[in-house]
């Protein structure tokens, strides 16, 4: 919202929590008139799941999905980061997306991932938290993007 305000873009809706389930439930849809439903343009990345699209359609909206960007994971090893982990110079790790979790885990050696899983970890949103749990992280604190 702050970034939009910087460009003088009027904000007409902010969900109570920043994740797909809440957005789909709380987004005001225009009333159906003359047998037409609300039309929405959903701008996402290619890795985004279809949960929001399906939930909005279930509420009666006609949704057009447009992929704006494609995420490419960097999966080559990162010896500098691994050294920081081995020398206890990383206090915590923070993730804003499931793809960040995936790329992070792919970049670490099996020995280093064990160290990383023991660190306090911050997840932005429930989907990112779930991705961390699947990868074996357990010391996870979840924040909603609106909490930050």
């Amino acid at each position: 919202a702050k970034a939009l305000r910087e460009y003088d873009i009027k904000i007409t809706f902010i969900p109570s929590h920043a994740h797909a389930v809440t957005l789909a439930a709380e987004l005001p849809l225009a009333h159906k008139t003359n047998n037409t439903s609300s039309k929405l343009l959903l701008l996402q990345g290619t890795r985004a799941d279809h949960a929001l699209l399906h939930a909005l359609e279930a509420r009666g909206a006609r949704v057009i999905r447009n992929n704006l960007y494609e995420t490419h994971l960097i999966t080559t090893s990162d010896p500098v980061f691994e050294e920081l982990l081995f020398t206890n110079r990383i206090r915590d790790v923070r993730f804003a997306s499931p793809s960040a979790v995936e790329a992070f885990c792919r970049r670490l050696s099996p020995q280093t991932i064990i160290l990383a899983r023991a660190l306090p970890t911050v997840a932005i949103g429930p989907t990112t938290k779930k991705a961390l749990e699947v990868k074996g992280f357990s010391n996870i604190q979840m924040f909603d993007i609106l909490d930050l």
Side-chain angles (χ1 to χ4, degrees):
K2 182 180 174 185
L4 292 173
R5 285 186 195 105
E6 289 176 8
Y7 290 97
D8 293 323
I9 297 173
K10 181 181 175 184
I11 300 164
T12 59
F13 169 74
I14 298 176
S16 62
H17 298 284
H19 45 80
V21 173
T22 304
L23 178 59
E26 295 179 0
L27 183 68
L29 299 178
H31 297 326
K32 295 180 182 180
T33 57
N34 299 331
N35 244 0
T36 62
S37 57
S38 295
K39 294 178 186 175
L40 300 173
L41 176 61
L42 181 59
L43 305 173
Q44 296 182 306
T46 57
R47 295 183 130 245
D49 69 26
H50 291 78
L52 179 57
L53 177 129
H54 295 313
L56 290 168
E57 288 176 337
R59 288 188 54 209
R62 291 190 342 180
V63 183
I64 299 168
R65 178 182 165 147
N66 189 324
N67 293 323
L68 292 181
Y69 62 93
E70 186 171 2
T71 302
H72 297 278
L73 306 181
I74 299 170
T75 58
T76 55
S77 65
D78 187 343
V80 172
F81 183 75
E82 290 199 5
E83 179 62 25
L84 292 172
L85 272 172
F86 277 116
T87 57
N88 295 317
R89 293 170 33 205
I90 302 292
R91 182 177 61 106
D92 61 45
V93 187
R94 298 160 189 240
F95 296 93
S97 70
S99 57
V101 173
E102 183 180 337
F104 178 80
C105 292
R106 283 191 193 179
R107 294 192 80 182
L108 301 178
S109 67
Q111 304 91 326
T112 310
I113 194 72
I114 292 168
L115 294 173
R117 286 180 183 137
L119 289 171
T121 307
V122 173
I124 307 295
T127 308
T128 303
K129 181 180 183 212
K130 178 69 175 168
L132 285 162
E133 290 167 344
V134 166
K135 292 294 186 181
F137 289 79
S138 58
N139 187 3
I140 305 166
Q141 185 174 11
M142 187 184 80
F143 287 93
D144 190 302
I145 192 88
L146 300 175
D147 295 332
L148 302 177

